[in-house]
């Protein structure tokens, strides 16, 4: 244990030294370059007066410029060796980067499986998904993405489950907070409609005719609830949809509320990481950030 602490202390001092010498290195390089030039030219004809200023500059610039140049070069060489030792070889860095990328891939897959598994477990156990012949239902989880002014700009999908493979994939990576049941739940905390008509989608939920026609799933029943943090700020929306059933209004709300509270704790711990992935546009498929 003592040897480990000594090693950590030496490593800390070494890297602190490199950090401090960073700016000094720039100054030393400038001084070295200046005296390298001065060692090749003769300034005695210019600075040959007896004025104190000329005497000072004569001493500063012409006193052993070659020795000063060599001395600064030795210092720079030492710093370069120390930096090389700290950074390591290109091959080593490449291997470390590859290892980190593989770990991130594993982490991403685990997060995806976590949310998909939670949604599947809840849907099957509490909402009886997969018990109808057509299995025309799905449940989706969306997280809120804030803009530079700390206002929610849009919602992005983080997980979806359906026992029908036709309804599992997402076509969009952004969902408006002003449209559909998502927008309704975002504004009013909860949305429930057991008899959705095409007219309601166009008028109440603000979809255009083109957007409505492009919907892969046109649900009969929708139940959506906002997910909030401890400060009562909305961080996401949970949406259940079905073309086959009408969930009892009170029952589905209680179930979604309980699940939303459970998801809130998990989402808060992972949201910064997932937000960064969305911000950096790691997602190449245009649906979820995986």
């Amino acid at each position: 244990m003592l040897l480990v602490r000594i090693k950590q202390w030496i490593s800390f001092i070494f890297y602190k030294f490199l950090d401090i010498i960073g700016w000094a290195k720039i100054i030393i390089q400038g001084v070295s370059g200046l005296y390298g030039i001065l060692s090749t030219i003769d300034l005695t004809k210019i600075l040959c007066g007896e004025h104190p200023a000329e005497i000072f500059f004569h001493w500063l610039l012409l006193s052993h410029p070659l020795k000063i140049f060599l001395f600064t070069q030795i210092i720079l060489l030492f710093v370069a060796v120390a930096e090389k030792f700290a950074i390591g070889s290109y091959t080593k860095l490449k291997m470390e980067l590859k290892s980190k990328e593989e770990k991130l891939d594993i982490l991403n897959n685990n997060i995806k499986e976590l949310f998909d598994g939670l949604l599947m477990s809840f849907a099957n156990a509490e909402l009886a998904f997969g018990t109808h012949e057509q299995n025309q239902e799905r449940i989706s989880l969306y997280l809120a993405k804030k803009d530079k002014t700390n206002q929610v700009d849009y919602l992005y999908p983080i997980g979806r489950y359906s026992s029908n493979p036709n309804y599992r994939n997402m076509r969009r990576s952004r969902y408006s907070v002003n449209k559909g049941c998502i927008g309704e739940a975002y504004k009013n905390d909860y949305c429930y409609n057991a008899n959705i008509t095409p007219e309601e989608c166009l008028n109440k939920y603000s979809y255009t005719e083109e957007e409505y026609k492009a919907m892969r799933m046109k649900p009969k029943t929708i139940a959506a609830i906002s997910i909030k943090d401890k400060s009562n700020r909305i961080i996401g929306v949970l949406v259940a949809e079905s073309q086959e059933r009408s969930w009892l209004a009170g029952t589905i709300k209680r179930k979604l509320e309980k699940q939303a509270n459970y998801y809130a704790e998990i989402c808060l711990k992972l949201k910064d990481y997932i937000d960064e992935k969305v911000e950096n546009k790691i997602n190449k498929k245009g649906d979820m950030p995986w």
Side-chain angles (χ1 to χ4, degrees):
M1 181 64 71
L2 179 61
L3 291 175
V4 172
R5 290 188 177 181
I6 292 174
K7 185 178 179 181
Q8 290 175 343
W9 182 78
I10 293 174
S11 178
F12 172 78
I13 296 296
F14 176 72
Y15 285 105
K16 194 68 176 177
F17 166 75
L18 289 179
D19 184 51
I20 294 172
I21 208 172
W23 285 103
K25 179 183 175 182
I26 298 174
I27 298 173
I28 294 170
Q29 285 176 329
V31 172
S32 180
L34 174 63
Y35 279 96
I37 295 172
L38 293 177
S39 65
T40 62
I41 60 177
D42 184 10
L43 294 179
T44 55
K45 295 180 180 180
I46 300 175
L47 300 175
C48 58
E50 297 181 356
H51 191 277
E54 288 187 281
I55 295 173
F56 172 75
F57 280 108
H58 185 278
W59 170 81
L60 179 66
L61 298 175
L62 302 179
S63 296
H64 311 292
L66 181 60
K67 292 181 180 179
I68 296 174
F69 170 73
L70 293 175
F71 177 72
T72 53
Q73 285 296 307
I74 291 172
I75 294 176
L76 291 173
L77 179 62
F78 170 75
V79 173
V81 171
E83 289 179 339
K84 179 66 177 177
F85 176 79
I87 296 174
S89 66
Y90 172 76
T91 303
K92 181 181 178 182
L93 285 174
K94 190 175 180 180
M95 291 177 63
E96 289 178 354
L97 179 61
K98 184 178 180 180
S99 175
K100 288 182 179 179
E101 288 177 345
E102 290 174 349
K103 291 177 181 178
L104 282 175
D105 286 340
I106 294 172
L107 176 61
N108 293 335
N109 289 333
N110 286 340
I111 294 176
K112 180 181 183 300
E113 290 177 2
L114 169 66
F115 284 112
D116 287 349
L118 289 172
L119 291 173
M120 180 179 69
S121 177
F122 172 66
N124 290 337
E126 300 292 337
L127 304 183
F129 273 30
T131 57
H132 283 60
E133 184 178 350
Q134 298 298 322
N135 297 331
Q136 309 235 15
E137 62 229 337
R138 69 185 179 190
I139 185 167
S140 308
L141 177 62
Y142 305 86
L143 293 185
K145 185 70 176 70
K146 294 183 178 181
D147 58 20
K148 294 181 180 179
T149 62
N150 209 33
Q151 298 297 316
V152 174
D153 190 18
Y154 59 89
L155 291 149
Y156 61 87
I158 191 62
R160 169 172 284 176
Y161 171 72
S162 174
S163 52
N164 188 330
N166 294 325
Y167 298 140
R168 287 181 191 169
N169 295 329
M170 298 248 186
R171 292 182 176 179
R172 288 181 287 160
S173 58
R174 297 188 180 196
Y175 289 75
S176 173
V177 295
N178 299 311
K179 288 186 178 183
C181 62
I182 296 177
E184 191 79 11
Y186 176 80
K187 292 177 183 177
N188 303 318
D189 293 336
Y190 184 70
C191 170
Y192 177 79
N193 192 331
N195 189 25
I196 299 175
T197 63
E199 291 73 23
E200 279 187 303
C201 284
L202 299 177
N203 299 323
K204 183 177 181 178
Y205 297 125
S206 303
Y207 285 111
T208 65
E209 290 186 7
E210 291 75 15
E211 288 173 331
Y212 179 73
K213 290 179 181 178
M215 287 182 181
R216 184 183 302 171
M217 180 181 184
K218 297 176 176 64
K220 172 188 174 184
T221 303
I222 286 181
I225 192 166
S226 61
I227 300 173
K228 298 182 178 181
D229 61 15
K230 294 180 180 179
S231 300
N232 208 37
R233 291 172 298 202
I234 295 176
I235 61 172
V237 173
L238 178 64
V239 181
E241 306 166 86
S242 177
Q243 289 182 326
E244 299 176 314
R245 71 181 75 226
S246 296
W247 293 296
L248 294 176
T251 302
I252 186 66
K253 185 176 183 181
R254 286 194 298 272
K255 290 181 177 181
L256 288 179
E257 283 178 341
K258 182 178 179 181
Q259 200 68 7
N261 292 333
Y262 176 53
Y263 287 166
E265 298 181 12
I266 301 173
C267 290
L268 283 172
K269 292 179 180 179
L270 298 173
K271 195 171 185 307
D272 288 342
Y273 173 76
I274 301 171
D275 271 355
E276 186 177 353
K277 286 176 63 61
V278 174
E279 185 71 25
N280 293 335
K281 298 180 181 178
I282 293 178
N283 169 32
K284 297 179 181 178
K285 296 180 180 180
D287 47 11
M288 286 184 275
W290 318 117

